[in-house]
Each structure stands twice: as structure tokens, then as C-alpha cells.
Amino acid sequence: MRILQRLKISNFKSIRAQELQLQPLNVFIGGNGSGKSNLIGVFRFLKEIVNRNLAGYTQLMGGADSILYHGRKRSPQLEIEVEFGARDATNRYRVRIAGTNDNSLFIAEETAYCHDQKYPKPYDWPIASNTPESRLIEQKDQHQCSTQIFRDLENYRVYHFHDMSDTAPAKGASDINDNRYFRRQAENLAAFLYYLQQRKPNSFSLIEDTVRQIAPFFDRFQLAPNRLNQSTIRLEWIERGSDAYFNAASLSDGTLRFICLCVLLLQPDLPPLILIDEPELGLHPAAIGVLANMLESAATKTQVIVATQSVTLVNQFSPRDVWTVDRLDGQSVFTQLNSADRSHWLENYALGELWEKNLLGARP
């Protein structure tokens, strides 16, 4: 399985200088403002860079000073380096981004590397320097280094199911053909579920069975194109013992969020890397236990990175899966837990309980 093996970050928001060696399942815990969401934000930022939207994203975020660690005066540039690998071959991408006098950002240097362990040195492929936007997409077919790293950066997915308001993306109608992948805020929830129902019935049945575990009133989904507009579809479902009409707006926030998580983690063709920010929001403790099982199962097939503040969720994992995030001297510090250091405590307490007792750091 190809995974993100190493992540190096310098001067991005609250992250001054950190290097992380990652594994298939990575659960980041910490209090408000510690920097968990900024870690997820690194991946959103990389997406914008690869999609040639550095200028637009910088403006949306309020300028370079809001992205660079303590602003341009303290940190005139930032750097992100990612290394993906499988077996004896790795690919690396490094981008250095600098601030300008008008509070914008530009690509100072962009390079791809590839390394087959049969050879002593990695091969580097310069992509761009001193350009307003990334040129990776232009270079992706010119060398194997840029080809593979473009795939790696294009195919990971960042998910955020926080918005369950009346206008939430998951509650609206979607284009029935929007089913190539599950979108980041579940904008195509109904269309993607309909695709699974029609083409992947085993996975669809597993999703329904899992939803029933935490929502006993739920009988099954009722999915079909809108009879007045065959190009659209809306999430509809049937309640046990009722013939009334129910759609996504009839579900509680927690139930709808759990359905989104089920679709994401139980789909048959998982993205190569999944990132989820605070998936536990609004979930019953029993649902959080099921969520933990889904995360662990998904991590046997793909790589998963999760940021959470849930003691209940952390209770389900072992130290090797968990990273603490602390704000020390004004910067975010990431530390992977080691079970050997806490073996005597773990005989009597779950990991989340140790976190509550402030024995792990990352004070909740």
C-alpha cells in the first residue's frame, strides 16, 4: 500500500518547524487552538497549490500574513515537503513559498524527487521557481517524478462534515451523474449512494446495516432520480413502521453526519489518503465506537489521518495510532505516543482516560 511516509512543515500558520513520520492510521489529539486543524489545513493548502489557486486561496484567507507563521516579518517564507512511498520506491515533493510586499504569496521553488532504493541517490526534477502559481500540472507528463507526485497530490481527499444546517450541502439535491468520488462536504451524498446501490450492492448493504446499528428507526434508503427532473437526486429514506416521506432534513445532525462517515469509510474504492477533521461532532458514544471500528478497518486498505477532541474516540485506539498536539512557546508541536512509556498506566486506564487525567499532554 502506497502511503504518505513523511511530512515536513515550516512556517505554516501555528506550525513553526515539524517533521512527522506517518503510518496507515494517525489520530491527532489536542485542545482548542493547539494546531490540529492547521495540520489538516496543510493538505487543503497543497490542494490549492496543485490546482493553481495559490493567489485565490491567499486572498480568501486574508493574505500572506494569515498563512505564514506570525506573519511575513517573522517568517518571510514557508516550506512543505511530502514523501509518498510503497515498497522500495519513494516520491517526494517540496514547495517553498514566499511572501511579497503586497501581502500575497508566490512559488519561490518547486521540485519533485523520485528514488528507487536500488540506486544510491534520488533523482530530482525541478518544476518551477519564482512563479505566481505551481507548474506541477504542466510538468506532470514530462517525467516519472512529476507524474507520480501529481497523482499522489491529486488523489488524497480532505473531509469536513461539520455543516448540518438547513442549507448543508448533504441535504440538497445533487446531479445524479456526480458520482466519480465522494465530495468533501458530502455535496453529492445522494448521487454517490445511488451509484453504490446500482453498481456496488454489497457495499451499499453494508452502509445500510451500519446506519441501523446507531439509528434503529432507520429501515433503508429510498433512492431514485427526481421524477420531475431525472438529472437530479435527493437523499430519501424509509422509517420502520411508517409510510411517511422522509429526506435528509428529517434526520438529526448526528445521524446525517454518521451516514456521511459510513459512505466515506465503507465505500469499496477508498481514496489513497483520507483526512477528516473532528468526525465525532454530534455523535452518540455508541456511534463513536462504530466510527473507531470503521477508521481502523479503512486503515488496513488506505491511509487515514484524523484530528479529534473526543476522549471517547481516543479510548478506542492504541498509543501507536495517536499523536498529541501541544501549543508550546507559541508553536504547534506534534508527538507520536509510545506504548512502552505508558504500559503501566494502560493496564488500568484507556488511552482517552489518560488524556483526561493530563498524563499525555495535549490537554483536552
Side-chain angles (χ1 to χ4, degrees):
M1 182 173 71
R2 185 175 181 81
I3 67 171
L4 173 60
Q5 297 176 333
R6 187 172 64 88
L7 171 65
K8 186 177 180 180
I9 310 162
S10 300
N11 294 332
F12 179 82
K13 296 192 175 182
S14 65
I15 306 172
R16 173 68 181 88
Q18 292 289 298
E19 183 169 343
L20 290 70
Q21 304 289 335
L22 298 168
Q23 53 192 14
L25 178 59
N26 306 269
V27 179
F28 289 83
I29 63 174
N32 291 325
S34 61
K36 303 183 309 299
S37 293
N38 287 342
L39 176 68
I40 303 295
V42 168
F43 292 90
R44 293 197 184 105
F45 187 50
L46 276 174
K47 278 286 188 189
E48 300 295 340
I49 293 169
V50 173
N51 291 329
R52 297 176 59 83
N53 189 39
L54 176 62
Y57 179 81
T58 303
Q59 185 177 15
L60 180 66
M61 292 294 104
D65 285 334
S66 66
I67 295 173
L68 293 162
Y69 175 75
H70 288 189
R72 288 169 294 158
K73 290 185 178 179
R74 176 75 178 272
S75 306
Q77 62 184 22
L78 67 84
E79 186 173 307
I80 301 172
E81 186 174 304
V82 289
E83 183 175 301
F84 294 86
R87 302 186 187 90
D88 296 326
T90 59
N91 292 83
R92 185 157 41 101
Y93 172 78
R94 182 169 64 88
V95 61
R96 184 164 53 85
I97 297 174
T100 66
N101 291 334
D102 63 354
N103 200 25
S104 61
L105 295 171
F106 70 95
I107 306 291
E109 184 182 11
E110 186 179 27
T111 309
Y113 304 80
C114 47
H115 190 196
D116 188 321
Q117 300 299 324
K118 293 182 291 187
Y119 303 102
K121 288 184 178 181
Y123 183 89
D124 65 286
W125 179 260
I127 298 172
S129 61
N130 299 320
T131 61
E133 297 287 351
S134 166
R135 297 187 61 191
L136 178 60
I137 195 168
E138 300 171 13
Q139 300 278 324
K140 68 183 179 67
D141 297 324
Q142 297 191 23
H143 192 274
Q144 63 178 357
C145 289
S146 53
T147 300
Q148 183 58 62
I149 204 66
F150 178 80
R151 289 197 195 112
D152 290 329
L153 295 174
E154 180 73 3
N155 291 331
Y156 71 75
R157 302 274 179 251
V158 181
Y159 289 92
H160 191 283
F161 302 137
H162 292 192
D163 181 11
M164 291 297 152
S165 65
D166 291 343
T167 58
K171 293 183 178 180
S174 57
D175 188 318
I176 197 167
N177 296 309
D178 185 8
N179 55 28
R180 188 174 301 276
Y181 62 88
F182 191 42
R183 294 193 177 274
R184 65 180 298 265
Q185 295 186 79
E187 299 96 320
N188 62 340
L189 175 61
F192 196 78
L193 267 171
Y194 184 63
Y195 159 75
L196 294 177
Q197 180 189 59
Q198 297 298 309
R199 298 299 175 89
K200 307 288 182 179
N202 291 340
S203 296
F204 181 78
S205 295
L206 177 59
I207 291 168
E208 287 189 316
D209 289 343
T210 306
V211 172
R212 291 187 195 105
Q213 289 183 44
I214 62 95
F217 58 85
F218 173 84
D219 185 27
R220 65 187 186 276
F221 293 113
Q222 182 168 262
L223 299 167
N226 187 320
R227 295 179 69 179
L228 298 177
N229 183 353
Q230 293 286 310
S231 67
T232 65
I233 189 168
R234 184 181 294 272
L235 182 70
E236 299 173 2
W237 56 281
I238 296 174
E239 182 174 310
R240 288 184 177 179
S242 173
D243 61 358
Y245 172 80
F246 294 101
N247 58 29
S250 308
L251 296 163
S252 70
D253 291 359
T255 302
L256 183 55
R257 189 175 289 116
F258 185 77
I259 289 172
C260 294
L261 290 164
C262 288
V263 173
L264 169 60
L265 297 170
L266 299 177
Q267 62 179 295
D269 303 310
L270 291 159
L273 171 59
I274 294 172
L275 300 105
I276 319 175
D277 192 10
E278 296 187 346
E280 74 281 357
L281 289 180
L283 298 188
H284 185 276
I288 291 177
V290 177
L291 169 62
N293 291 335
M294 291 194 294
L295 290 169
E296 289 187 315
S297 177
T300 65
K301 304 165 192 170
T302 190
Q303 189 173 25
V304 179
I305 295 175
V306 176
T308 182
Q309 292 191 86
S310 170
V311 170
T312 305
L313 184 59
V314 175
N315 275 337
Q316 315 301 315
F317 298 113
S318 63
R320 68 176 180 275
D321 303 321
V322 177
W323 294 73
T324 59
V325 187
D326 291 283
R327 196 71 171 260
L328 303 175
D329 297 325
Q331 59 182 287
S332 299
V333 177
F334 303 90
T335 306
Q336 188 173 20
L337 295 183
N338 186 325
S339 58
D341 295 342
R342 297 166 179 85
S343 56
H344 61 293
W345 290 108
L346 291 169
E347 293 175 2
N348 300 304
Y349 300 100
L351 198 59
E353 293 173 320
L354 295 182
W355 182 26
E356 274 191 308
K357 295 176 184 296
N358 201 28
L359 295 172
L360 303 179
R363 182 78 183 192

